């Protein structure tokens, strides 16, 4: 992660879930890189929007220090995650 966010990654039913909370005052754009992501679409859970992932890399904006996002994306089945 390139940016001022705290993160945790969980695996469930073939998906990667990224929990990200801003740790910086003010707005920011953050770069995420997930080695075991299958690529393609990243769902921003409960926000009604999606992001594009290229080779496991995607970007998102955080409005302020209270911003929290949860991301869901398919895991690469060849990565060895269960």
């Amino acid at each position: 992660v390139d940016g001022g966010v705290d993160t945790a990654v969980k695996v469930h039913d073939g998906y990667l879930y990224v929990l990200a909370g801003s740790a910086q005052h003010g707005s920011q754009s953050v770069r995420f890189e997930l080695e075991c992501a299958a690529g393609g679409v990243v769902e921003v859970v409960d926000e009604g929007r999606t992001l594009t992932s290229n080779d496991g890399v995607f970007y998102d904006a955080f409005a302020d220090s209270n911003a929290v996002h949860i991301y869901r994306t398919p895991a690469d089945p060849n990565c060895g995650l269960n």
Side-chain angles (χ1 to χ4, degrees), residues 65-81:
S65 61
N66 294 314
V68 174
H69 300 301
I70 301 172
Y71 306 100
R72 178 181 185 256
T73 190
D76 182 344
N78 299 314
C79 198
L81 300 174

Side-chain angles (χ1 to χ4, degrees), residues 42-70:
V42 177
E43 173 191 359
V44 187
V45 177
D46 291 336
E47 293 189 28
R49 61 190 183 98
T50 59
L51 306 170
T52 302
S53 172
N54 294 309
D55 294 325
V57 175
F58 64 95
Y59 297 84
D60 200 12
F62 288 74
D64 56 32
S65 61
N66 294 314
V68 174
H69 300 301
I70 301 172

